[in-house]
Amino acid sequence: GNPILEAFGNAKTVRNNNSSRFGKWMEVHFDKHSKIVGCKVISYLLEKSRVAFQAGLERNFHIFYQLLAGADDKMREELYLTAPEDFSYLNQSGCIHLDGVNDHEEFQDTLAAMEKLNFSSEERAVMFRIVAAILHMGNVTFKATNDGNGSAVDNPDTLEVAAYLLGVRADLLHENLVTRRFQGAGRSSAYSVPLTPDKARDGKDSLCQTLYGFMFNWIVKKVNAVLSAGLNMPTTVVGVLDIFGFEIFQKNSFEQLCINFANEKLQQHFNSHTFKLEEAVYQSEKIKFTHVEFIDNQIVLDLVEKKPNGIFCVLDEEIVMPKATDYTFVQKLNQHFGANKHERFKQNLRANNKFTVVHYAGDVEYEVEGFLDKNKDTLYSGLLELMSISEVPFISEIFTEAFKASVGGGGDAGGGAARGGAAAGRGGARGGARGGAAAGAGGAGGAAKSRKISLGGQFKESLNQLMDTLNSTEPHYIRCIKPNDSKQPASVKFTGMNVLRQLRYAGVFEAVTIRQTGYPFRLKHEEFYKRYKAMILDNPIDTSRVPYKDACRKIIDAMHKKKDMSDVQIGQTMVLYRAIQYREMELLRNVALSKTVTVVQAWARAWKTKGMYARMSHIREHLRRAMNARQLDPLNSAIAYHDNDGEFEIVPEYRDTVALRDLVAEEIRVARVLKEVLSALRGVVDPAPDQLKKLDDIVKAAHAINFSSADANEAFALHELIHARIQTRKDLVKAVETHDEALLNKALAEADRLDFPNGEPSVVAAEQELARIAEEKQHIAILRASLSMPPEGNADMDFTTPYLNQLITISTEVATNGEVILYEGAWEELEATYSNALNFGCLTVEGSRLVESASVVLHLRSAIGQDDWDQVEQILLGCKRGDAETLYKTVEIKAAHDQLNLRAKKADVQAALDTAAQAFDPNALAMALDKAYTLGMEVESYQVLMDHINATQAALADGINSVEQEKLDYAIDLADQIAYPLDDYVQGKALRDHLVQLAAELVDVLENMPDKEIMEDLHQRANSIGMHTEDLNTLDGFLQLDAEGLAKAQLKSALRRKDHDRVIQINIRLKEIFFQMFGNQFVLTQCGRMKTTSEFAKGKIFGKEKIKQHMMNWNKSPLHTALTRIPGLYNKDAIIINKNMLGFMGDKVMSYPDMLAQEIIEKAIQFPELRDETYIQVIKQMTNNPNPESVQKGDRLLKLCLFSFPPSPEFENFLEIFFRNKDPSPDNPYRRQLHNIVYSGPVATPPSLDITNSF
């Protein structure tokens, strides 16, 4: 896609990280040669509301984030840019950064695209200035004025920045944001109305949305101006529509209604072309076909747009009604379509702000908050006028036209006095929705005849233009199917039901069916006849006398004899058939054409080939005659004839002729040059370089073609003689330079054979070098003897060699192998020999190598004498241990190397001993000790360490295996003596520590007797490591007890320790065990303390049965008698308690309800006979109570009772069963408080009012 339009028109949504938030019609124009000559983009319905608001986990348009990530330091300073988290328009959705998206790199791509599309640097700068201005405007906030009737900007510094970037005065911008001017009917002057903070904020958002929309439209025009620059000729157009898809969210508003209406229109277009028009063709052709049922959504389109009662029509009516609201809009829709009056409209009986439309893609419930304001889409003329006089030319130009339209259409106060205007409401600001080109052209106060078109009207108008465009084309459809809702590839996640619904709602299955059952291939009668008339060549038809329709029938009959054509239909104007028949027809046609074409081709090729053969035969004969003649001119003539008239190369005659022509030409040239060279060189044995080169070249050329003649033989001999003399001089020079005695002798003999003249410089130099070499040999003999080498050849490397210098001895013992012992005079003898040879200057290879060897041996003796073995190693490495080509390897060099190796072995053994000792590895120590003893090293301390390690490891293994603390203590003490750190030590110490810890835990558990789970956990942990102690056996005995026995043991422990909370906890558990066995005996109505229903209703004449039935159910009327069997003197108190209870719980209006609760508690504390009565009355009032608030207060009263006094022992189990049934969890707070009050007894005084309020 276009990076610019994507940056300014695309955003991240919950379903797509790069969702296009505007519809676009893209045209690609082709010339008559089918080459692209231009493009054009038409945008529809930009989602301007996204500028000011994004849903959760969505983002604003990409350009905002790209600018903040990619702007350089200068731009950031000029535009006052910071991080995206600092801007309200970007930080409200909870999503700023996208995984896998680099906004900085995307910004660079956008800049590159702008440059390619000829956006000037000034245009780019002002675009980014507008983007920055919108961000800063989004940070402007409003507060209410002191009188509460208006608003003011809460952060004027931010407003200053925004005003500067917009090119307007900050005071005028402030004035037009917080007030609105009206021109009243019959008034000569305008008046101002202050706006609330919400209205001011909506006006600000509307301005930003409008500004962004104007800029986006300008960008589209700019892009089109570049891409369509070459459209000055007739073209063929391919158009692509890319528009938002069907939307269903949890909350669907005006934007979703517009989007889904557009999709209904496009679906109708699809149905029309795929189903309706297809069947219309079949009907017009009067052929048989199978009707395919499909969903016709025209009824939905009528519901939305048909006059006079369509949804958009009703909405447009409501925005001009004085007292209309979103709710009156829904009421009118319900009047027209509700109560099942329309099959695609559902009235919401539970909410008066919702309605449902049954779309082709499913039911969508719309919430109408903001529908009217969004449909107005108004930016008031005060802000329009202010923007039209901006100092930024780009901003003033794009707003001027809109301001003129606003003034011309009436509405807000206009002219030079107008400084008012904000949006009509918060919904209006957010309702820029997917508006078209411009916002705001006229206001509420203007004349009705010039009333601004609503957003819904703009939407319908843009959509109708789009549909007109689509209807003028031959459409093809691409259905985009999402494999899942998590934006993952289908290969990663594929949700079958989602895909199935998309295919079904889009009508794809019906389209496939009509493709299978219909006739997609069709040709006009004349076209069909012309294409397939080859089928009846044996019996042609005169179409001037026979109609094309009849001719087509005869062709089909002819085809039917070979293939089944029963499904082919001949209509009124065309022949219709399916894919299988199409393939069969094409096959038959190709076969028929092949028969005719083959015969024509055969005759044409035969005629052409005969003529070609005659010409080529004549050329071949001409080539052969030229080769037989073996003369240059005939050969050239024959080759030219072939090149000019031959259809192709004649093999092999042509190539042979060319080769022969080249050979003859070369022979002529070689003979001529040979004569010239010989004439110049006869009698010359030392020619000049240029003459020699000519001789070399012609001899080489003659050999290349095997040329033979007297001149050639003479030239060959002369060439050999001259080069022999040249090579001999080179050998003499080389022999002198390399001091090579053998080469000197050989070169001098060759010079004598070639009669070199006396006094030849090279010969004289060679003879002198031979004399010098003879003298050098004397020094060589002395050097060999000093270096323990034989008179000839390489040295003997045996340390006892008979040639060993008498002044040295070399050790052969294992411990001192290679050690050289120098006797008196040994050093001076070698040094003198070396100095004499060096001063003489030995130049032969042997002499120079011996001198170098003597130098190395002297250096080795010096380094060894200083015990500098690093230097010894460097010397040996420098001479490659005596194997360097610059010297001879001597026995002393080998001895030094062997001695160095021996020292290295000892160092390796010492390192192995140290490593094994540090690792406490007895096996490695044993191996290293064996090697040390072999080398005679002193290592007794390592032997002692190895024995200690073995003892320690054995002790640790015994302690770990036996799981006994005493053995582990002994082993760990051994290990600590040598700081033994290995895993078995860590394991043994951890096991010892674990045993100590478990022993302490056992003592604590046997003392405190905690819950069985804790005891079992400790028991399992101790057993898992093989622990065996008396305390563990005791714990095992407790765990063998049943639940009741264990609880009793735990109770004894708690009582012994006076642990109040623990006693209560265990009592609850014991009581639970009891209830599990006998709990069904404690039904509340069967409690002996309670009256029977007959007793309770006694004395009542009317409604006796009802009183019995509702004895234990909530009642807002006071009791007529007590619920329990209490002495008569307390009956009145029981009734008073009930009245107070009704007042406290809100079932009866009474003053000071918290004091009533105190009176109830005080009575029960004072008179134990009334305690059970109080509990039962609370339970009665909470049973089947329809008032949640009353139930909540009853729960508070019940908690107060449990805090203040216990029930009687006879009633205790019944009350606990009630709590148990209410909440069966083990942490039931009511049961715990019940046991607590029973254990501690009643309080002395009722709780204070503060305590009462805390419950």
Side-chain angles (χ1 to χ4, degrees):
N2 187 317
I4 305 175
L5 295 183
E6 283 194 6
F8 286 86
N10 287 23
K12 186 263 184 189
T13 66
V14 293
R15 294 194 176 97
N16 188 346
N17 285 350
N18 189 30
S19 175
S20 177
R21 307 317 295 163
F22 67 101
K24 53 182 173 290
W25 170 258
M26 296 170 286
E27 295 181 352
V28 182
H29 292 256
F30 299 85
D31 63 11
K32 61 182 180 180
H33 302 295
S34 299
K35 293 182 180 179
I36 297 177
V37 294
C39 303
K40 184 182 294 184
V41 178
I42 301 174
S43 66
Y44 296 94
L45 318 171
L46 175 69
E47 187 187 20
K48 296 186 297 184
S49 63
R50 182 169 292 270
V51 171
F53 174 78
Q54 308 92 45
L57 300 181
E58 296 195 355
R59 293 210 314 175
N60 212 319
F61 293 103
H62 293 328
I63 188 60
F64 292 104
Y65 308 92
Q66 291 181 9
L67 176 62
L68 294 176
D72 56 27
D73 293 341
K74 180 181 178 183
M75 185 183 294
R76 300 179 76 86
E77 181 179 356
E78 291 176 348
L79 301 181
Y80 303 93
L81 300 179
T82 57
E85 291 82 0
D86 299 334
F87 294 100
S88 176
Y89 280 171
L90 306 183
N91 62 19
Q92 56 186 302
S93 69
C95 178
I96 291 179
H97 303 288
L98 289 180
D99 293 338
V101 175
N102 188 320
D103 289 316
H104 180 274
E105 293 180 359
E106 297 288 335
F107 185 66
Q108 301 307 314
D109 293 341
T110 302
L111 290 177
M114 287 180 173
E115 187 171 350
K116 288 183 179 179
L117 292 178
N118 298 337
F119 281 75
S120 67
S121 58
E122 293 79 10
E123 290 171 335
R124 294 198 297 267
V126 76
M127 289 164 64
F128 297 143
R129 179 170 183 163
I130 290 174
V131 172
I134 291 173
L135 288 175
H136 290 292
M137 279 292 292
N139 283 354
V140 174
T141 57
F142 301 91
K143 61 182 178 181
T145 54
N146 294 332
D147 59 7
N149 294 326
S151 60
V153 172
D154 196 23
N155 49 349
D157 291 342
T158 303
L159 182 70
E160 286 278 355
V161 173
Y164 161 71
L165 294 175
L166 290 172
V168 298
R169 284 168 46 187
D171 58 337
L172 293 180
L173 181 59
H174 179 277
E175 178 184 352
N176 282 280
L177 285 173
V178 300
T179 61
R180 177 184 171 192
R181 282 183 175 271
F182 285 94
Q183 181 72 48
R187 298 183 59 166
S188 60
S189 61
Y191 62 95
S192 296
V193 175
L195 299 175
T196 65
D198 283 346
K199 293 288 186 180
R201 182 168 59 253
D202 290 341
K204 173 199 71 175
D205 291 344
S206 184
L207 171 62
C208 293
Q209 292 168 180
T210 302
L211 176 58
Y212 192 86
F214 285 173
M215 178 177 65
F216 183 79
N217 291 335
W218 177 86
I219 292 172
V220 173
K221 292 179 182 178
K222 176 73 176 181
V223 170
N224 283 336
V226 176
L227 297 181
S228 61
L231 298 181
N232 52 5
M233 64 184 79
T235 60
T236 302
V237 179
V238 173
V240 179
L241 175 65
D242 180 10
I243 202 165
F244 29 74
F246 197 86
E247 292 188 350
I248 304 178
F249 300 126
Q250 275 195 326
K251 182 177 180 180
N252 302 286
S253 189
F254 180 74
E255 295 89 347
Q256 280 67 51
L257 179 62
C258 294
I259 292 169
N260 295 339
F261 174 59
N263 278 273
E264 290 282 1
K265 280 278 192 181
L266 295 173
Q267 183 65 22
Q268 184 196 43
H269 185 268
F270 174 77
N271 291 344
S272 175
H273 283 80
T274 306
F275 303 108
K276 294 181 180 180
L277 296 183
E278 186 75 10
E279 292 194 352
V281 170
Y282 298 159
Q283 292 170 353
S284 66
E285 290 296 317
K286 298 181 179 180
I287 65 172
K288 298 178 181 179
F289 66 94
T290 302
H291 175 70
V292 177
E293 294 293 337
F294 63 91
I295 301 174
D296 190 347
N297 62 339
Q298 182 61 48
I299 188 172
V300 181
L301 298 177
D302 292 343
L303 170 65
V304 177
E305 68 174 342
K306 188 175 181 180
K307 295 180 180 181
N309 297 325
I311 294 174
F312 278 144
C313 300
V314 174
L315 189 59
D316 286 348
E317 289 180 1
E318 288 297 286
I319 63 176
V320 299
M321 299 299 290
K323 296 183 180 181
T325 66
D326 296 323
Y327 299 99
T328 61
F329 165 61
V330 177
Q331 290 173 3
K332 287 192 176 181
L333 291 183
N334 290 336
Q335 291 173 6
H336 293 311
F337 308 116
N340 299 321
K341 296 176 185 176
H342 195 287
E343 61 182 284
R344 294 300 185 93
F345 182 90
K346 292 182 180 180
Q347 180 177 352
N348 194 314
L349 301 178
R350 295 183 179 180
N352 62 353
N353 65 334
K354 299 178 180 179
F355 67 91
T356 299
V357 175
V358 182
H359 290 283
Y360 78 91
D363 294 8
V364 181
E365 184 178 71
Y366 297 98
E367 295 187 25
V368 299
E369 281 82 357
F371 259 54
L372 267 63
D373 287 336
K374 292 177 182 180
N375 193 39
K376 291 175 184 177
D377 189 35
T378 302
L379 178 67
Y380 298 110
S381 60
L383 286 171
L384 281 173
E385 180 186 6
L386 180 61
M387 292 299 105
S388 69
I389 59 173
S390 167
E391 295 179 357
V392 180
F394 181 88
I395 297 177
S396 63
E397 289 172 7
I398 61 177
F399 273 91
T400 298
E401 184 176 350
F403 172 66
K404 290 179 179 178
S406 172
V407 174
D412 296 354
R419 287 290 183 269
R426 184 159 183 77
R430 301 285 165 84
R434 300 184 181 270
K449 65 181 180 180
S450 300
R451 189 170 70 214
K452 173 183 176 292
I453 186 172
S454 67
L455 181 61
Q458 297 176 40
F459 186 90
K460 287 196 297 181
E461 183 177 338
S462 296
L463 190 57
N464 288 334
Q465 293 174 0
L466 174 61
M467 298 311 298
D468 290 342
T469 302
L470 294 179
N471 289 329
S472 66
T473 65
E474 182 179 348
H476 299 271
Y477 302 93
I478 298 175
R479 288 291 182 184
C480 298
I481 305 298
K482 292 187 176 180
N484 53 68
D485 291 334
S486 54
K487 295 181 281 190
Q488 293 179 295
S491 59
V492 176
K493 184 178 181 182
F494 184 85
T495 308
M497 288 306 298
N498 282 5
V499 173
L500 180 62
R501 278 195 294 270
Q502 293 175 73
L503 294 173
R504 181 177 292 122
Y505 293 150
V508 173
F509 292 136
E510 290 84 353
V512 172
T513 300
I514 199 169
R515 182 75 178 180
Q516 291 175 335
T517 60
Y519 299 91
F521 293 91
R522 60 198 67 171
L523 287 175
K524 295 291 186 180
H525 291 155
E526 182 178 355
E527 295 171 351
F528 185 86
Y529 169 77
K530 290 180 178 178
R531 180 160 186 80
Y532 295 107
K533 64 182 179 180
M535 294 300 302
I536 54 173
L537 288 178
D538 296 338
N539 187 18
I541 297 176
D542 184 1
T543 53
S544 63
R545 310 172 81 181
V546 177
Y548 281 113
K549 183 176 182 180
D550 295 340
C552 292
R553 185 172 286 107
K554 289 186 179 182
I555 292 173
I556 293 170
D557 290 342
M559 291 180 175
H560 189 64
K561 294 176 182 179
K562 299 178 180 179
K563 297 289 183 180
D564 182 13
M565 296 291 162
S566 57
D567 282 341
V568 178
Q569 300 254 23
I570 301 178
Q572 296 297 311
T573 63
M574 62 180 70
V575 180
L576 302 95
Y577 45 97
R578 299 188 176 116
I580 186 170
Q581 282 77 37
Y582 169 76
R583 290 192 295 269
E584 299 289 359
M585 288 178 179
E586 289 297 303
L587 178 62
L588 293 173
R589 176 178 178 271
N590 291 338
V591 171
L593 290 177
S594 296
K595 292 179 180 179
T596 304
V597 170
T598 302
V599 175
V600 173
Q601 288 177 340
W603 281 99
R605 288 171 181 164
W607 176 81
K608 182 178 181 181
T609 303
K610 287 180 180 179
M612 185 188 304
Y613 178 77
R615 290 194 304 277
M616 300 309 289
S617 295
H618 188 265
I619 293 171
R620 177 180 284 110
E621 186 61 30
H622 201 68
L623 290 170
R624 288 174 178 172
R625 287 198 301 269
M627 285 191 289
N628 291 334
R630 210 177 186 279
Q631 294 180 5
L632 189 59
D633 290 341
L635 287 169
N636 283 329
S637 175
I639 291 170
Y641 180 27
H642 176 280
D643 292 342
N644 294 331
D645 293 354
E647 294 283 343
F648 52 83
E649 183 179 316
I650 298 175
V651 179
E653 285 83 352
Y654 176 72
R655 295 181 185 177
D656 292 344
T657 304
V658 171
L660 182 59
R661 185 269 314 272
D662 294 341
L663 177 60
V664 170
E666 181 65 5
E667 288 175 345
I668 294 172
R669 186 189 72 82
V670 168
R672 175 176 53 79
V673 175
L674 279 173
K675 289 184 180 296
E676 294 174 356
V677 170
L678 287 174
S679 174
L681 290 179
R682 281 194 176 93
V684 178
V685 292
D686 293 317
D690 59 333
Q691 291 179 323
L692 179 60
K693 185 177 185 306
K694 288 182 179 179
L695 177 62
D696 289 340
D697 292 342
I698 197 59
V699 169
K700 181 179 179 180
H703 283 308
I705 61 174
N706 293 322
F707 186 74
S708 179
S709 70
D711 288 342
N713 293 335
E714 184 181 354
F716 294 158
L718 179 61
H719 181 267
E720 184 178 354
L721 174 62
I722 292 172
H723 277 280
R725 294 175 66 85
I726 292 172
Q727 184 60 44
T728 300
R729 287 191 181 90
K730 289 181 179 178
D731 289 344
L732 288 169
V733 172
K734 180 180 179 183
V736 171
E737 290 175 349
T738 60
H739 316 287
D740 187 339
E741 183 180 12
L743 185 58
L744 281 168
N745 290 324
K746 178 182 177 182
L748 285 171
E750 184 67 11
D752 184 58
R753 184 184 72 82
L754 296 174
D755 294 328
F756 273 53
N758 294 329
E760 171 82 22
S762 58
V763 174
V764 173
E767 290 172 344
Q768 292 173 349
E769 178 60 20
L770 276 176
R772 193 202 65 78
I773 290 173
E775 186 177 356
E776 182 180 321
K777 284 183 177 181
Q778 299 175 11
H779 291 280
I780 289 174
I782 299 172
L783 280 170
R784 279 183 169 274
S786 297
L787 293 172
S788 303
M789 293 182 66
E792 293 181 354
N794 293 324
D796 183 357
M797 295 301 155
D798 190 345
F799 293 163
T800 60
T801 176
Y803 301 106
L804 189 67
N805 192 323
Q806 298 301 313
L807 298 177
I808 67 172
T809 300
I810 302 176
S811 174
T812 58
E813 297 294 330
V814 174
T816 58
N817 184 53
E819 183 177 346
V820 179
I821 301 171
L822 301 177
Y823 298 119
E824 185 177 358
W827 177 273
E828 292 78 2
E829 184 261 349
L830 179 59
E831 188 174 35
T833 302
Y834 169 72
S835 297
N836 291 335
L838 190 65
N839 291 333
F840 172 76
C842 293
L843 299 177
T844 64
V845 173
E846 182 182 11
S848 61
R849 290 179 71 183
L850 286 169
V851 170
E852 181 64 22
S853 297
S855 174
V856 169
V857 171
L858 285 171
H859 281 91
L860 285 173
R861 288 181 180 182
S862 174
I864 294 171
Q866 298 173 23
D867 201 25
D868 188 351
W869 291 97
D870 288 338
Q871 181 65 21
V872 171
E873 184 177 9
Q874 292 301 318
I875 294 170
L876 289 173
L877 288 174
C879 69
K880 298 183 180 178
R881 296 176 297 178
D883 293 331
E885 294 181 356
T886 59
L887 51 73
Y888 288 107
K889 186 173 184 179
T890 70
V891 68
E892 283 192 64
I893 294 176
K894 180 179 184 301
H897 180 252
D898 289 352
Q899 195 173 3
L900 185 65
N901 283 342
L902 179 61
R903 293 180 63 86
K905 288 179 182 179
K906 289 183 178 181
D908 290 343
V909 170
Q910 184 64 48
L913 286 169
D914 292 339
T915 301
Q918 292 173 2
F920 293 89
D921 185 347
N923 295 324
L925 270 171
M927 293 176 62
L929 283 168
D930 289 342
K931 294 178 181 178
Y933 289 138
T934 301
L935 297 174
M937 298 172 63
E938 297 294 332
V939 289
E940 284 75 12
S941 62
Y942 291 98
Q943 181 68 48
V944 173
L945 177 61
M946 182 182 74
D947 295 338
H948 200 144
I949 291 172
N950 285 326
T952 300
Q953 290 181 342
L956 284 169
D958 184 38
I960 291 171
N961 291 331
S962 64
V963 197
E964 293 184 13
Q965 184 177 340
E966 291 181 1
K967 291 183 178 181
L968 286 168
D969 286 339
Y970 169 71
I972 291 167
D973 181 58
L974 279 178
D976 289 341
Q977 291 176 20
I978 58 173
Y980 181 80
L982 297 189
D983 290 345
D984 52 351
Y985 170 76
V986 175
Q987 181 183 357
K989 191 171 186 303
L991 178 58
R992 193 273 309 273
D993 295 343
H994 198 178
L995 288 172
V996 172
Q997 177 189 349
L998 289 174
E1001 287 187 49
L1002 280 169
V1003 171
D1004 182 70
V1005 164
L1006 293 176
E1007 169 64 21
N1008 296 314
M1009 294 295 289
D1011 291 342
K1012 185 176 182 181
E1013 290 78 7
I1014 298 175
M1015 299 169 71
E1016 286 178 334
D1017 175 66
L1018 177 58
H1019 186 266
Q1020 187 274 332
R1021 286 188 285 123
N1023 282 333
S1024 67
I1025 64 170
M1027 185 178 182
H1028 41 85
T1029 65
E1030 289 298 324
D1031 285 348
L1032 183 60
N1033 293 335
T1034 303
L1035 176 63
D1036 185 65
F1038 280 122
L1039 290 175
Q1040 299 301 320
L1041 297 174
D1042 60 11
E1044 185 176 3
L1046 180 59
K1048 290 178 178 178
Q1050 292 170 327
L1051 182 61
K1052 288 180 181 179
S1053 172
L1055 290 170
R1056 183 176 66 251
R1057 293 180 286 105
K1058 297 181 181 180
D1059 187 343
H1060 174 75
D1061 291 340
R1062 182 65 172 165
V1063 169
I1064 291 174
Q1065 179 186 15
I1066 297 173
N1067 273 331
I1068 293 174
R1069 191 189 308 161
L1070 285 169
K1071 190 64 74 69
E1072 182 63 26
I1073 295 171
F1074 173 73
F1075 284 152
Q1076 288 176 358
M1077 294 188 292
F1078 307 107
N1080 55 3
Q1081 299 179 12
F1082 297 98
V1083 180
L1084 184 63
T1085 56
Q1086 296 177 5
C1087 177
R1089 297 279 294 163
M1090 283 190 62
K1091 291 180 179 179
T1092 65
T1093 55
S1094 299
E1095 289 177 295
F1096 180 68
K1098 187 176 180 180
K1100 286 292 183 178
I1101 300 175
F1102 301 104
K1104 199 171 218 177
E1105 290 303 320
K1106 186 174 181 181
I1107 292 172
K1108 290 180 181 181
Q1109 183 180 357
H1110 294 286
M1111 173 182 172
M1112 284 305 294
N1113 287 332
W1114 169 85
N1115 199 318
K1116 64 182 179 179
S1117 300
L1119 290 174
H1120 66 284
T1121 184
L1123 293 170
T1124 59
R1125 297 185 178 103
I1126 56 176
L1129 66 132
Y1130 295 114
N1131 196 58
K1132 183 176 180 181
D1133 291 322
I1135 294 173
I1136 292 173
I1137 287 173
N1138 181 252
K1139 289 181 180 179
N1140 289 343
M1141 194 177 295
L1142 292 174
F1144 173 74
M1145 293 176 65
D1147 298 322
K1148 184 176 181 181
V1149 179
M1150 297 179 70
S1151 302
Y1152 310 110
D1154 288 336
M1155 293 181 64
L1156 296 177
Q1158 281 186 303
E1159 291 181 15
I1160 294 171
I1161 300 302
E1162 184 178 11
K1163 283 281 187 185
I1165 293 173
Q1166 183 178 2
F1167 303 110
E1169 293 82 356
L1170 293 174
R1171 294 173 184 173
D1172 293 347
E1173 175 71 23
T1174 303
Y1175 277 114
I1176 292 173
Q1177 285 192 24
V1178 176
I1179 293 171
K1180 165 184 168 63
Q1181 286 304 109
M1182 292 176 66
T1183 303
N1184 297 326
N1185 190 330
N1187 186 353
E1189 186 175 353
S1190 175
V1191 173
Q1192 183 181 7
K1193 290 183 177 179
D1195 189 64
R1196 283 181 56 199
L1197 183 58
L1198 190 59
K1199 290 177 181 177
L1200 272 171
C1201 293
L1202 291 172
F1203 174 79
S1204 304
F1205 57 85
S1208 68
E1210 297 88 349
F1211 183 61
E1212 178 184 337
N1213 287 341
F1214 291 92
L1215 182 59
E1216 187 169 359
I1217 282 291
F1218 170 77
F1219 291 144
R1220 182 172 178 264
N1221 293 336
K1222 183 177 180 181
D1223 180 7
S1225 68
D1227 299 326
N1228 186 322
Y1230 296 96
R1231 293 182 68 181
R1232 183 172 185 81
Q1233 185 58 35
L1234 173 62
H1235 280 270
N1236 185 62
I1237 196 67
V1238 169
Y1239 182 84
S1240 59
V1243 298
T1245 58
S1248 65
L1249 193 60
D1250 290 339
I1251 295 177
T1252 302
N1253 290 332
S1254 69
F1255 282 89

